[in-house]
């Protein structure tokens, strides 16, 4: 008997659901390639779920397939996808208009469809290959194979991959950008007068200590500047002494992001806010991307920020004319900085003022702090709780239309937006301006 030309109802439903789910509203404008990846992954997951359901029904002797049902399912799925694509295109253009970027072009959905289809076929082929291998093996052999693969992966492949990735990040951290000129001012770490060697500052540290404005003292201690955290903290104190940081009226402890980055916009903002009469100090605790540090090593941000702030606090307590002490952190830096304090009252008592920019959801003490948060910033939205409840956006600046919360799907879309949060136009997403410094209040 000839096989029906129409796809199975489960396959059609899975594709329709996967595509429609992938086109639900996100927080940021998305390229066709980025949208294709989200669509491809969700369709692949949906197809896998449909295959599992089909397998379970067959084992129970249930077969609900019929040719007419397949045609109806296909028509409904096509209509659903077209409506979802129209709405997604409208939403994309609404976001782009709010962020002053060009609307999507006529080739947007074509590129998205082609790339998503290739991705689904690739993932489908991998899945079919794994299933074919397991079918050729007996259960005992399959179990043994899984155990062997798992053991090798755990003790061999996985550590090797992790070490390789860390090696890539380490090499990037150590690489010296030829466009960066070693500072000559004695007020900068890495200069000829500095106790910190230029080569040990790391990629982000070298960016921090170079360039305009010329006013602030800039002290930065890289991971390679000393052998351990205590040594790096002592070096930071000594470097602040040498560079005249404690002689300035204002001292800002800037907690970097996971990669060691301190936003240049914040530096300019602090210079404008204090008229150059300010010292900035940062201590690197990682060279991996912030998302990787957030997932696997956020404790390093907390430990580093607490050690540096406490040491500086103790040192200036013994000065006759101590500088006013501030704390600043963006993203993971805000999480680490806020963890220095036990509660809001402790934060207010030990600082002149604090500022958190783009802090992770629910991660900082807000009372008495200045919090800069864009409603289009996925970092502000993201937390596991986004699976089952809407984010708390109280106090966030509405910089673009905010999509309605959808259980599970909002978590998926926000997670996808995290990867492109810094690609947003200035003032949107996870990009903040000089107001990171200018809005810092007085004591």
């Amino acid at each position: 008997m000839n096989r029906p030309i129409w796809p199975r109802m489960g396959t059609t439903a899975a594709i329709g659901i996967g595509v429609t789910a992938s086109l639900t509203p996100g927080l940021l404008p998305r390229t066709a390639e980025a949208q294709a990846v989200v669509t491809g992954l969700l369709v692949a997951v949906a197809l896998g779920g449909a295959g599992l359901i089909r397998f379970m029904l067959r084992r129970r002797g249930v077969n609900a397939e019929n040719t007419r049902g397949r045609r109806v399912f296909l028509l409904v799925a096509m209509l659903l996808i077209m409506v979802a694509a129209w709405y997604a295109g409208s939403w994309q253009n609404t976001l782009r208009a709010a962020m002053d970027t060009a609307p999507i072009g006529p080739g947007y959905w074509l590129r998205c469809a082609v790339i998503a289809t290739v991705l689904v076929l690739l993932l489908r082929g991998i899945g079919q290959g794994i299933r074919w291998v397991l079918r050729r093996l007996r259960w005992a052999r399959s179990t043994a194979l899984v155990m062997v693969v798992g053991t090798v992966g755990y003790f061999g492949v996985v550590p090797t991959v992790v070490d390789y990735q860390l090696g890539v990040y380490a090499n990037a951290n150590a690489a010296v950008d030829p466009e960066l000129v070693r500072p000559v001012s004695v007020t900068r770490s890495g200069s000829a007068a500095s106790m910190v060697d230029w080569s040990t500052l790391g990629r982000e540290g070298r960016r921090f200590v170079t360039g305009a404005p010329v006013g602030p003292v800039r002290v930065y201690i890289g991971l390679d500047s000393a052998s351990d955290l205590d040594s790096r903290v002592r070096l930071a104190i000594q470097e602040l002494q040498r560079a005249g940081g404690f002689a300035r009226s204002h001292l800002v402890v800037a907690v970097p992001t996971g990669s060691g980055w301190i936003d240049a916009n914040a530096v300019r903002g602090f210079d404008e806010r204090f008229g150059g009469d300010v010292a900035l100090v940062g201590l690197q605790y990682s060279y991996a991307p912030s998302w990787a540090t957030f997932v696997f090593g956020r404790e390093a941000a907390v430990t580093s920020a607490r050690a540096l702030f406490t040491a500086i606090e103790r040192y200036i307590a013994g000065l006759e004319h101590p500088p006013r002490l501030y704390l600043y952190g963006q993203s993971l830096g805000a999480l680490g900085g806020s963890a220095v304090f036990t509660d809001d009252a402790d934060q207010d008592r030990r600082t002149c003022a604090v500022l958190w920019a783009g802090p992770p959801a629910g991660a900082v003490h807000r009372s008495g702090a200045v919090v800069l948060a864009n409603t289009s910033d996925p970092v502000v939205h993201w937390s596991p709780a986004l699976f089952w409840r809407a984010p708390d956006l109280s106090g966030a600046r509405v910089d673009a239309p905010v999509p309605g919360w959808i259980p599970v799907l909002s978590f998926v879309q926000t997670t996808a937006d995290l990867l492109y949060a810094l690609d947003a136009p200035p003032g949107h997403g996870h990009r903040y301006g000089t107001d990171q410094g200018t809005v810092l209040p007085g004591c």
Side-chain angles (χ1 to χ4, degrees), residues 115-141:
I115 297 172
T117 301
V118 171
L119 180 59
V120 170
L121 292 176
L122 177 63
L123 295 175
R124 187 76 166 166
I126 294 173
Q128 293 286 357
I130 294 173
R131 187 172 68 173
W132 182 86
V133 170
L134 293 179
R135 280 181 172 178
R136 297 295 179 184
L137 298 173
R138 293 180 180 178
W139 171 250
R141 292 180 181 176

mmCIF file of all heavy atoms in Angstrom, residues 115-141:
data_model
loop_
_atom_site.group_PDB
_atom_site.id
_atom_site.type_symbol
_atom_site.label_atom_id
_atom_site.label_comp_id
_atom_site.label_asym_id
_atom_site.label_seq_id
_atom_site.Cartn_x
_atom_site.Cartn_y
_atom_site.Cartn_z
ATOM 1 N N ILE A 115 18.036 28.764 7.214
ATOM 2 C CA ILE A 115 18.993 28.387 8.256
ATOM 3 C C ILE A 115 18.338 27.477 9.292
ATOM 4 O O ILE A 115 18.935 26.482 9.731
ATOM 5 C CB ILE A 115 19.566 29.639 8.930
ATOM 6 C CG1 ILE A 115 20.341 30.475 7.900
ATOM 7 C CG2 ILE A 115 20.492 29.266 10.084
ATOM 8 C CD1 ILE A 115 20.784 31.825 8.421
ATOM 9 N N ALA A 116 17.100 27.789 9.687
ATOM 10 C CA ALA A 116 16.391 26.953 10.660
ATOM 11 C C ALA A 116 16.168 25.551 10.117
ATOM 12 O O ALA A 116 16.318 24.550 10.839
ATOM 13 C CB ALA A 116 15.057 27.601 11.039
ATOM 14 N N THR A 117 15.805 25.441 8.844
ATOM 15 C CA THR A 117 15.578 24.121 8.239
ATOM 16 C C THR A 117 16.857 23.300 8.226
ATOM 17 O O THR A 117 16.857 22.100 8.561
ATOM 18 C CB THR A 117 15.046 24.282 6.804
ATOM 19 O OG1 THR A 117 13.821 25.016 6.838
ATOM 20 C CG2 THR A 117 14.812 22.927 6.161
ATOM 21 N N VAL A 118 17.962 23.919 7.835
ATOM 22 C CA VAL A 118 19.248 23.210 7.832
ATOM 23 C C VAL A 118 19.603 22.733 9.235
ATOM 24 O O VAL A 118 20.057 21.596 9.435
ATOM 25 C CB VAL A 118 20.357 24.123 7.268
ATOM 26 C CG1 VAL A 118 21.731 23.490 7.459
ATOM 27 C CG2 VAL A 118 20.106 24.405 5.793
ATOM 28 N N LEU A 119 19.379 23.584 10.229
ATOM 29 C CA LEU A 119 19.691 23.216 11.608
ATOM 30 C C LEU A 119 18.828 22.059 12.081
ATOM 31 O O LEU A 119 19.327 21.111 12.718
ATOM 32 C CB LEU A 119 19.507 24.433 12.520
ATOM 33 C CG LEU A 119 19.787 24.223 14.018
ATOM 34 C CD1 LEU A 119 21.221 23.758 14.224
ATOM 35 C CD2 LEU A 119 19.522 25.507 14.793
ATOM 36 N N VAL A 120 17.536 22.111 11.769
ATOM 37 C CA VAL A 120 16.636 21.021 12.173
ATOM 38 C C VAL A 120 17.049 19.711 11.511
ATOM 39 O O VAL A 120 17.104 18.661 12.162
ATOM 40 C CB VAL A 120 15.174 21.366 11.818
ATOM 41 C CG1 VAL A 120 14.270 20.149 12.003
ATOM 42 C CG2 VAL A 120 14.673 22.518 12.688
ATOM 43 N N LEU A 121 17.353 19.759 10.231
ATOM 44 C CA LEU A 121 17.765 18.543 9.525
ATOM 45 C C LEU A 121 19.063 17.988 10.109
ATOM 46 O O LEU A 121 19.227 16.764 10.233
ATOM 47 C CB LEU A 121 17.934 18.835 8.039
ATOM 48 C CG LEU A 121 16.644 19.145 7.262
ATOM 49 C CD1 LEU A 121 16.964 19.502 5.810
ATOM 50 C CD2 LEU A 121 15.675 17.960 7.313
ATOM 51 N N LEU A 122 19.971 18.867 10.453
ATOM 52 C CA LEU A 122 21.226 18.418 11.045
ATOM 53 C C LEU A 122 20.991 17.740 12.387
ATOM 54 O O LEU A 122 21.504 16.632 12.642
ATOM 55 C CB LEU A 122 22.160 19.621 11.212
ATOM 56 C CG LEU A 122 23.509 19.350 11.897
ATOM 57 C CD1 LEU A 122 24.335 18.379 11.062
ATOM 58 C CD2 LEU A 122 24.269 20.652 12.119
ATOM 59 N N LEU A 123 20.218 18.393 13.248
ATOM 60 C CA LEU A 123 19.926 17.805 14.560
ATOM 61 C C LEU A 123 19.102 16.533 14.430
ATOM 62 O O LEU A 123 19.314 15.559 15.170
ATOM 63 C CB LEU A 123 19.184 18.829 15.425
ATOM 64 C CG LEU A 123 19.971 20.085 15.802
ATOM 65 C CD1 LEU A 123 19.083 21.071 16.544
ATOM 66 C CD2 LEU A 123 21.180 19.719 16.652
ATOM 67 N N ARG A 124 18.182 16.525 13.477
ATOM 68 C CA ARG A 124 17.370 15.332 13.228
ATOM 69 C C ARG A 124 18.257 14.176 12.767
ATOM 70 O O ARG A 124 18.087 13.040 13.194
ATOM 71 C CB ARG A 124 16.328 15.659 12.165
ATOM 72 C CG ARG A 124 15.306 14.581 11.900
ATOM 73 C CD ARG A 124 14.285 14.519 12.975
ATOM 74 N NE ARG A 124 13.139 13.729 12.580
ATOM 75 C CZ ARG A 124 12.223 13.293 13.427
ATOM 76 N NH1 ARG A 124 12.305 13.620 14.699
ATOM 77 N NH2 ARG A 124 11.196 12.575 13.021
ATOM 78 N N GLY A 125 19.209 14.478 11.893
ATOM 79 C CA GLY A 125 20.106 13.442 11.415
ATOM 80 C C GLY A 125 20.959 12.866 12.524
ATOM 81 O O GLY A 125 21.175 11.644 12.592
ATOM 82 N N ILE A 126 21.436 13.716 13.409
ATOM 83 C CA ILE A 126 22.221 13.238 14.549
ATOM 84 C C ILE A 126 21.379 12.335 15.435
ATOM 85 O O ILE A 126 21.811 11.260 15.870
ATOM 86 C CB ILE A 126 22.777 14.429 15.342
ATOM 87 C CG1 ILE A 126 23.796 15.192 14.496
ATOM 88 C CG2 ILE A 126 23.408 13.966 16.651
ATOM 89 C CD1 ILE A 126 24.278 16.479 15.126
ATOM 90 N N GLY A 127 20.140 12.766 15.693
ATOM 91 C CA GLY A 127 19.243 11.952 16.518
ATOM 92 C C GLY A 127 18.931 10.613 15.885
ATOM 93 O O GLY A 127 18.928 9.573 16.557
ATOM 94 N N GLN A 128 18.672 10.607 14.579
ATOM 95 C CA GLN A 128 18.389 9.354 13.882
ATOM 96 C C GLN A 128 19.600 8.428 13.913
ATOM 97 O O GLN A 128 19.472 7.212 14.043
ATOM 98 C CB GLN A 128 17.991 9.652 12.427
ATOM 99 C CG GLN A 128 16.673 10.391 12.255
ATOM 100 C CD GLN A 128 15.463 9.501 12.511
ATOM 101 O OE1 GLN A 128 15.577 8.313 12.758
ATOM 102 N NE2 GLN A 128 14.287 10.109 12.455
ATOM 103 N N GLY A 129 20.790 9.016 13.775
ATOM 104 C CA GLY A 129 21.997 8.194 13.814
ATOM 105 C C GLY A 129 22.192 7.528 15.161
ATOM 106 O O GLY A 129 22.531 6.342 15.244
ATOM 107 N N ILE A 130 21.963 8.291 16.242
ATOM 108 C CA ILE A 130 22.088 7.712 17.584
ATOM 109 C C ILE A 130 21.060 6.604 17.788
ATOM 110 O O ILE A 130 21.369 5.529 18.331
ATOM 111 C CB ILE A 130 21.931 8.813 18.643
ATOM 112 C CG1 ILE A 130 23.097 9.805 18.545
ATOM 113 C CG2 ILE A 130 21.847 8.220 20.041
ATOM 114 C CD1 ILE A 130 22.959 11.008 19.436
ATOM 115 N N ARG A 131 19.829 6.826 17.327
ATOM 116 C CA ARG A 131 18.781 5.813 17.483
ATOM 117 C C ARG A 131 19.118 4.558 16.694
ATOM 118 O O ARG A 131 18.896 3.443 17.161
ATOM 119 C CB ARG A 131 17.434 6.385 17.040
ATOM 120 C CG ARG A 131 16.264 5.451 17.338
ATOM 121 C CD ARG A 131 14.947 6.116 17.065
ATOM 122 N NE ARG A 131 14.734 6.355 15.650
ATOM 123 C CZ ARG A 131 13.582 6.811 15.146
ATOM 124 N NH1 ARG A 131 12.587 7.118 15.968
ATOM 125 N NH2 ARG A 131 13.450 7.002 13.858
ATOM 126 N N TRP A 132 19.661 4.734 15.485
ATOM 127 C CA TRP A 132 20.020 3.577 14.662
ATOM 128 C C TRP A 132 21.096 2.734 15.339
ATOM 129 O O TRP A 132 21.025 1.504 15.364
ATOM 130 C CB TRP A 132 20.518 4.059 13.302
ATOM 131 C CG TRP A 132 20.877 2.940 12.360
ATOM 132 C CD1 TRP A 132 20.049 2.265 11.522
ATOM 133 C CD2 TRP A 132 22.182 2.380 12.179
ATOM 134 N NE1 TRP A 132 20.742 1.313 10.820
ATOM 135 C CE2 TRP A 132 22.066 1.358 11.207
ATOM 136 C CE3 TRP A 132 23.436 2.637 12.729
ATOM 137 C CZ2 TRP A 132 23.153 0.589 10.782
ATOM 138 C CZ3 TRP A 132 24.512 1.883 12.315
ATOM 139 C CH2 TRP A 132 24.374 0.880 11.357
ATOM 140 N N VAL A 133 22.094 3.398 15.929
ATOM 141 C CA VAL A 133 23.160 2.671 16.615
ATOM 142 C C VAL A 133 22.613 1.885 17.792
ATOM 143 O O VAL A 133 22.943 0.711 18.000
ATOM 144 C CB VAL A 133 24.254 3.662 17.074
ATOM 145 C CG1 VAL A 133 25.253 2.975 18.002
ATOM 146 C CG2 VAL A 133 24.970 4.256 15.876
ATOM 147 N N LEU A 134 21.741 2.538 18.575
ATOM 148 C CA LEU A 134 21.185 1.857 19.754
ATOM 149 C C LEU A 134 20.286 0.692 19.358
ATOM 150 O O LEU A 134 20.227 -0.322 20.051
ATOM 151 C CB LEU A 134 20.414 2.863 20.607
ATOM 152 C CG LEU A 134 21.265 3.951 21.273
ATOM 153 C CD1 LEU A 134 20.390 4.896 22.079
ATOM 154 C CD2 LEU A 134 22.326 3.338 22.178
ATOM 155 N N ARG A 135 19.584 0.806 18.252
ATOM 156 C CA ARG A 135 18.735 -0.289 17.791
ATOM 157 C C ARG A 135 19.555 -1.503 17.374
ATOM 158 O O ARG A 135 19.096 -2.640 17.472
ATOM 159 C CB ARG A 135 17.865 0.169 16.618
ATOM 160 C CG ARG A 135 16.638 0.952 17.025
ATOM 161 C CD ARG A 135 15.818 1.337 15.804
ATOM 162 N NE ARG A 135 14.544 1.932 16.179
ATOM 163 C CZ ARG A 135 13.651 2.389 15.302
ATOM 164 N NH1 ARG A 135 13.915 2.325 14.006
ATOM 165 N NH2 ARG A 135 12.525 2.904 15.727
ATOM 166 N N ARG A 136 20.772 -1.263 16.860
ATOM 167 C CA ARG A 136 21.631 -2.349 16.425
ATOM 168 C C ARG A 136 22.308 -3.070 17.578
ATOM 169 O O ARG A 136 22.916 -4.122 17.383
ATOM 170 C CB ARG A 136 22.703 -1.809 15.478
ATOM 171 C CG ARG A 136 22.148 -1.221 14.184
ATOM 172 C CD ARG A 136 21.488 -2.269 13.345
ATOM 173 N NE ARG A 136 20.936 -1.684 12.126
ATOM 174 C CZ ARG A 136 20.228 -2.367 11.225
ATOM 175 N NH1 ARG A 136 19.991 -3.649 11.425
ATOM 176 N NH2 ARG A 136 19.748 -1.767 10.154
ATOM 177 N N LEU A 137 22.237 -2.496 18.723
ATOM 178 C CA LEU A 137 22.878 -3.087 19.894
ATOM 179 C C LEU A 137 21.836 -3.668 20.833
ATOM 180 O O LEU A 137 20.716 -3.169 20.927
ATOM 181 C CB LEU A 137 23.682 -2.016 20.644
ATOM 182 C CG LEU A 137 24.838 -1.362 19.858
ATOM 183 C CD1 LEU A 137 25.403 -0.210 20.668
ATOM 184 C CD2 LEU A 137 25.921 -2.365 19.536
ATOM 185 N N ARG A 138 22.208 -4.730 21.507
ATOM 186 C CA ARG A 138 21.310 -5.289 22.522
ATOM 187 C C ARG A 138 21.280 -4.354 23.722
ATOM 188 O O ARG A 138 22.170 -3.524 23.920
ATOM 189 C CB ARG A 138 21.806 -6.672 22.952
ATOM 190 C CG ARG A 138 21.715 -7.710 21.835
ATOM 191 C CD ARG A 138 22.206 -9.044 22.323
ATOM 192 N NE ARG A 138 22.112 -10.047 21.254
ATOM 193 C CZ ARG A 138 22.514 -11.300 21.381
ATOM 194 N NH1 ARG A 138 23.053 -11.710 22.523
ATOM 195 N NH2 ARG A 138 22.400 -12.146 20.370
ATOM 196 N N TRP A 139 20.303 -4.596 24.582
ATOM 197 C CA TRP A 139 20.128 -3.713 25.732
ATOM 198 C C TRP A 139 21.364 -3.714 26.624
ATOM 199 O O TRP A 139 21.838 -2.681 27.062
ATOM 200 C CB TRP A 139 18.902 -4.128 26.536
ATOM 201 C CG TRP A 139 18.778 -3.399 27.843
ATOM 202 C CD1 TRP A 139 18.950 -3.897 29.090
ATOM 203 C CD2 TRP A 139 18.480 -2.008 28.021
ATOM 204 N NE1 TRP A 139 18.776 -2.931 30.025
ATOM 205 C CE2 TRP A 139 18.471 -1.752 29.403
ATOM 206 C CE3 TRP A 139 18.204 -0.966 27.132
ATOM 207 C CZ2 TRP A 139 18.218 -0.509 29.935
ATOM 208 C CZ3 TRP A 139 17.944 0.283 27.668
ATOM 209 C CH2 TRP A 139 17.953 0.503 29.044
ATOM 210 N N ALA A 140 21.910 -4.901 26.888
ATOM 211 C CA ALA A 140 23.073 -4.986 27.761
ATOM 212 C C ALA A 140 24.251 -4.217 27.157
ATOM 213 O O ALA A 140 24.977 -3.499 27.840
ATOM 214 C CB ALA A 140 23.469 -6.438 27.994
ATOM 215 N N ARG A 141 24.428 -4.405 25.834
ATOM 216 C CA ARG A 141 25.513 -3.700 25.175
ATOM 217 C C ARG A 141 25.269 -2.194 25.178
ATOM 218 O O ARG A 141 26.193 -1.397 25.315
ATOM 219 C CB ARG A 141 25.663 -4.195 23.740
ATOM 220 C CG ARG A 141 26.163 -5.638 23.649
ATOM 221 C CD ARG A 141 26.292 -6.056 22.201
ATOM 222 N NE ARG A 141 26.742 -7.435 22.094
ATOM 223 C CZ ARG A 141 26.863 -8.086 20.942
ATOM 224 N NH1 ARG A 141 26.558 -7.473 19.812
ATOM 225 N NH2 ARG A 141 27.291 -9.329 20.922
#
